[in-house]
Amino acid sequence: MLPVRSHSRRVLASLRVRMASRASSAMLSRAGRIRSKLQSSLEASVLDIEDVSHQHAGHAAVVESGAAETHFNVKIVSSKFEGKSLVSRHRLVYDALADELRSGLHALSIVAKTPQEVAPK
Amino acid sequence: MATRTVGLSSSPLRSLTSSSSHPPPTRITPTLSFASRLKPALALPLLSATPRRSARPRSPRVSAALKNLSETVPVSVPADSGELVRRFPSASGVYAVHDGEGGLQFVGISRNIAASIAGHRRSVPELCCSVKVGVVDEPDRAALTQAWKSWMEEHMTATGKVPPGNESGNTTWIRQPPKKKPDLRLTPGRHMQLTVPLEELIDQLVKENKVVAFIKGSRSAPMCGFSQRVIGILESEGVDYESVDVLDEEYNCGLRETLKKYTNWPTFPQVFVDGELVGGCDILSSMFEKGELSSLFKK
């Protein structure tokens, strides 16, 4: 597995809070599962995951499903995106997270770039 | 064009007295178009008898009284918008639009007279043949309203009539937001047996229409922030698009699940151009910011 260069401090903080609040739960949070799934399938060199579910707390679909972690901002840099359209890049992300989308993950805001696109010019 | 229109309340007319047998209407709404780039209150000389061809006069002058409506000479409205802007001042004031027979159609006030006339010319060219213009010095709202009132009073005293465009309920001269289309429905109703599978209906819909947005909620009231942003982008591109509400359980029952499979795309909104999925909110936003959308819609 490639090293993850940049972590979002906010995510780590929010993860820590969640871990603490669910100390008894052995299961990884959704944010954690998203991270490991994207990491392994896309070999991301940068992977920022931000849980923004709180911004959608009143959202009807969210209330219905009862899921707590529903909305995420995801920024991925991966060489697997090279030569691919935005639609295909997003599909790669959605495919990797198909199980999550079936189990209450409601929306992803995706920024998908290639290493070249984020390289300083 | 960067003007917005504000409807005045009935107050300007309350003190209007008409000698005619017609009672003054209860409500007359002139338009107040405020230019986005408000110019300093340049005192401009009133329009002269000759059409204004040269650049607008820049020399400030001590406030001159507004001419009467009858004393003001009409200036013909050219078809060419560049010429129109040269011919009319971009200043604040009152203006009176006349039709081909010289009949007064509408008296309005504006923060950018040339821009307002250009707008009217675009929406009702047949009614905009010539315009009388009175630039108002130190054009605060009260001064503009006063100028409008004096021209209206003069016209009503002379003819006993309110200009048709100023009559209550006439919206010809007020900038209207574009009429919103209804959302498309895929089925005739939940309880009707479909003769064609939903996939095929989706397929037909996206191939027969240039731009289709599948959104949560209606286009006039999107129920999700991402759908709202997509609608905002399509509206600001000025593109003619169709919308389908995927939350409409009565007329689009089962659409969400079927569409997800059809596109292999798990979230909404989804925007199609020429039968192809362009993407959701992220992709639309990113293309919009890069200016890639207009060429996509034009093709």
Side-chain angles (χ1 to χ4, degrees):
Chain A
M1 199 188 265
L2 285 172
V4 175
R5 265 197 280 123
S6 105
H7 284 279
S8 154
R9 230 173 267 151
R10 246 174 314 177
V11 174
L12 289 180
S14 73
L15 271 178
R16 242 177 262 128
V17 170
R18 201 167 301 111
M19 297 293 189
S21 67
R22 292 185 185 173
S24 59
S25 163
M27 236 177 61
L28 207 53
S29 69
R30 193 188 305 276
R33 293 197 301 274
I34 291 176
R35 172 170 298 283
S36 69
K37 283 172 181 172
L38 290 179
Q39 191 62 64
S40 59
S41 65
L42 293 174
E43 295 164 12
S45 54
V46 175
L47 184 53
D48 286 341
I49 298 169
E50 188 185 357
D51 185 347
V52 291
S53 306
H54 61 277
Q55 293 173 6
H56 305 269
H59 200 138
V62 173
V63 177
E64 268 168 44
S65 75
E69 301 171 276
T70 54
H71 290 67
F72 289 86
N73 292 341
V74 178
K75 184 185 176 192
I76 311 165
V77 177
S78 164
S79 52
K80 291 205 168 181
F81 293 144
E82 267 159 31
K84 290 203 164 65
S85 70
L86 285 176
V87 169
S88 338
R89 292 179 191 189
H90 284 224
R91 278 211 178 100
L92 283 176
V93 175
Y94 285 135
D95 287 346
L97 301 177
D99 287 343
E100 301 298 330
L101 283 157
R102 270 195 292 272
S103 65
L105 173 58
H106 184 78
L108 288 174
S109 177
I110 302 170
V111 177
K113 304 246 184 216
T114 64
Q116 273 161 343
E117 286 166 350
V118 293
K121 278 157 202 163
Chain B
M1 193 174 52
T3 56
R4 75 190 163 95
T5 300
V6 176
L8 272 187
S9 68
S10 58
S11 54
L13 250 207
R14 238 168 245 152
S15 59
L16 256 187
T17 46
S18 166
S19 58
S20 78
S21 55
H22 296 261
T26 49
R27 192 173 144 268
I28 288 180
T29 36
T31 56
L32 245 185
S33 301
F34 291 99
S36 63
R37 44 185 178 89
L38 268 185
K39 297 194 167 177
L42 258 188
L44 295 174
L46 292 166
L47 262 194
S48 57
T50 49
R52 199 182 291 277
R53 290 193 168 274
S54 57
R56 278 157 243 135
R58 299 276 170 208
S59 56
R61 238 177 54 167
V62 186
S63 175
L66 184 78
K67 272 197 202 175
N68 289 342
L69 180 62
S70 57
E71 289 169 357
T72 309
V73 176
V75 177
S76 68
V77 180
D80 176 61
S81 60
E83 175 59 27
L84 190 151
V85 171
R86 279 189 295 278
R87 205 174 284 185
F88 291 99
S90 297
S92 303
V94 59
Y95 61 95
V97 187
H98 293 74
D99 59 24
E101 275 95 54
L104 179 59
Q105 285 286 336
F106 176 71
V107 179
I109 44 182
S110 171
R111 291 283 179 187
N112 183 340
I113 296 171
S116 293
I117 295 172
H120 295 319
R121 173 83 200 177
R122 267 197 305 277
S123 61
V124 279
E126 70 283 2
L127 298 180
C128 294
C129 288
S130 63
V131 180
K132 292 182 178 183
V133 170
V135 170
V136 173
D137 299 329
E138 294 170 29
D140 59 14
R141 192 178 172 118
L144 285 170
T145 307
Q146 185 53 47
W148 177 79
K149 222 160 83 174
S150 77
W151 277 24
M152 285 291 285
E153 265 171 2
E154 185 188 336
H155 179 73
M156 287 167 69
T157 307
T159 65
K161 286 183 187 140
V162 175
N166 291 93
E167 276 183 42
S168 174
N170 185 318
T171 54
T172 310
W173 305 85
I174 300 167
R175 181 184 302 278
Q176 297 284 313
K179 282 270 179 291
K180 294 221 170 181
K181 287 186 178 181
D183 301 291
L184 291 186
R185 293 162 166 182
L186 273 155
T187 75
R190 189 153 42 133
H191 305 293
M192 305 284 278
Q193 188 68 42
L194 285 183
T195 50
V196 182
L198 202 49
E199 282 91 352
E200 270 179 47
L201 293 177
I202 296 173
D203 196 59
Q204 276 173 19
L205 185 77
V206 299
K207 285 177 178 156
E208 282 167 9
N209 296 284
K210 175 88 186 162
V211 183
V212 183
F214 291 90
I215 55 168
K216 290 186 163 179
S218 70
R219 67 200 286 158
S220 50
M223 305 271 285
C224 138
F226 301 107
S227 295
Q228 188 164 31
R229 214 177 311 161
V230 162
I231 291 300
I233 289 172
L234 294 175
E235 294 281 343
S236 70
E237 285 283 332
V239 61
D240 184 28
Y241 66 97
E242 303 297 336
S243 56
V244 183
D245 178 3
V246 299
L247 297 179
D248 184 342
E249 291 296 334
E250 183 59 36
Y251 295 101
N252 298 324
C253 189
L255 175 59
R256 284 199 299 283
E257 289 315 309
T258 312
L259 184 60
K260 284 181 186 179
K261 279 190 214 116
Y262 174 85
T263 50
N264 184 26
W265 193 267
T267 59
F268 302 103
Q270 298 187 11
V271 177
F272 285 77
V273 176
D274 295 322
E276 292 284 326
L277 176 70
V278 176
C281 180
D282 291 334
I283 294 180
L284 260 276
S285 303
S286 142
M287 292 178 77
F288 177 66
E289 280 154 24
K290 287 189 206 145
E292 295 168 354
L293 278 181
S294 43
S295 60
L296 180 72
F297 293 144
K298 256 182 226 134
K299 266 192 290 185

